[in-house]
Amino acid sequence: MSSNSYSFFNDVNSYVDKAAKFTKHPPGLIEQIKQCNCVLHVSFPLRVKKGKFEVIEAYRVHHSHHKAPVKGGIRYSMMVNEDEVKALAALMSYKCALVNVPFGGAKGGVKIDPSKYTVEQLERITRRFTSELIKRNSIGPAVDVPAPDYGTGPREMAWIADTYMAFNAGQINALGCVTGKPLSQHGIRGRTEATGRGVYFGIRETVDGYEDMQKLGLYPGLEDKRVIIQGFGNVGYYAALNLQQNGATIIGIAEYDGVIFNPDGIDVQAVHQHRIDTGSILQCEGCKTIKNGHDLLEYECDILVPAALENQITRTNAPKIKAKIIAEAANGPITAEAENILLKRGVFIIPDLYLNAGGVTVSYFEWLKNISRVSFGKINKRYNELNNEMMVSAIEDASDTNLTYKQRTQLIKGAGEIELVDSGLEGVMVNAFREISEIKKERNVGDLRTAAFVNSLEKIAVSYLELGVFP
Ligand code: GLU
């Protein structure tokens, strides 16, 4: 297939077909699961100057209504088109099923380069797109709950929430119409870093697997792993930071304008600060800068983390990749054709639908917080601390020992929102990894992506079968 006729949605469906062979479902059910249930394409005008207008194109796709609400981010990028949004919406269904988050899959996209617009214009675009969704009953806490994605963040989510609330005064759960909001707008602690942190948990679980590491000729654990990251946005930055804080060495980071490299290790926090100061990761002290060096993906390393966009590892560069593990922090960075090449070459792929599911997992926590209108830990934190205090004192009395101040404080501390969100996220990522590893082993599936799709298909199929839609 030439790169012109590349279809991301076809690639996702080819993974479903491959996985379906390991399941036993009635004919037609897999076909029903694969289709997008609803595709919305809107265009609206934006006044850019006095008398000058632009037409903005935007999409929202509901892939699967087997659960409500549907959930998925909204991206702002010039690459947005119907095929891309359909593929990303489908991935959301499989992702949510995999991590047992009770949503159907959706995705949205606005075809703009956000760097070309002023903040005021971006706000108008966001509010107008939200009102297009409201008009069609395509947003709401029980219907469809957007979130940040490539090119969007808490600021855009705040505009979406505010627009929705203006049209739905008095709706008590209105704040649950979108997640990834700023904290002041009833967002949740830990959401911004959630996807990157989930990526770290997923990689940690993988590299802790003795058998898989042995096959790759690697030692278990993160300590001796050399990592290359493509994309230093929200996901790439937090993934790199967490990996580095837990022992890995980040040797290269690629961005759209070039690459930085240091075989002895890059200080991720310093690069982040350098970008805040200069607007680019390039020329960061202590690193070699290679302008437009787009072949970083092909450098020698243990773990390659594509954390930017889809269609980055294709049949052209797949034979040249030297990484032993590819960790898909982005959605769809490896094409299906490239995957075949990589699997044959023995590369271990940690698939997107598992690895970047941390974002939607913490979005789920935020949605729960919004519809229950209480933050996690608020009611029970102090009660737990008093209980812990009594227990620690009783143990001290009974054993006639005195703990140090530090030990006492650590044992007594109750969990607040960030502790609950983070441990909840870790639990979800660890559990999902166990589920897919088990499927891979027991059904002799071969690769982790297929195992992940088998897991999701089984869960979505149950929803349809128990509805009686299929006999
Ligand atoms: N855009 C993120 C993703 O691709 C998060 C979606 C969400 O939180 O709903 O998973």
Side-chain angles (χ1 to χ4, degrees), residues 71-73 92 95 107 145 147-149 179 191 331 356 359-360 363:
K71 184 94 188 76
M92 285 309 303
K95 201 183 292 188
K107 200 78 170 200
V145 183
D149 200 81
T179 59
R191 175 62 186 88
N331 289 308
N356 68 33
V360 74
S363 274

Side-chain angles (χ1 to χ4, degrees), residues 95-96 98-101 193-206 235 327-329 350-362 365 421-437 448 452 455 459:
K95 201 183 292 188
C96 291
L98 175 56
V99 289
N100 300 311
V101 161
E193 51 272 48
T195 313
R197 189 137 171 85
V199 167
Y200 151 65
F201 287 134
I203 294 178
R204 183 193 72 187
E205 290 308 293
T206 307
V235 180
E328 291 188 319
I350 318 176
D352 48 7
L353 70 159
Y354 163 64
L355 197 66
N356 68 33
V360 74
T361 300
V362 177
F365 300 158
V421 164
D422 196 54
S423 60
L425 170 63
E426 182 173 10
V428 165
M429 294 305 292
V430 169
N431 191 46
F433 188 78
R434 276 198 202 125
E435 284 186 21
I436 56 179
S437 301
L448 212 56
N455 179 295
K459 291 173 183 167

Side-chain angles (χ1 to χ4, degrees), residues 34 45 293 320 347:
K34 275 161 65 180
K320 300 184 216 153
V347 178

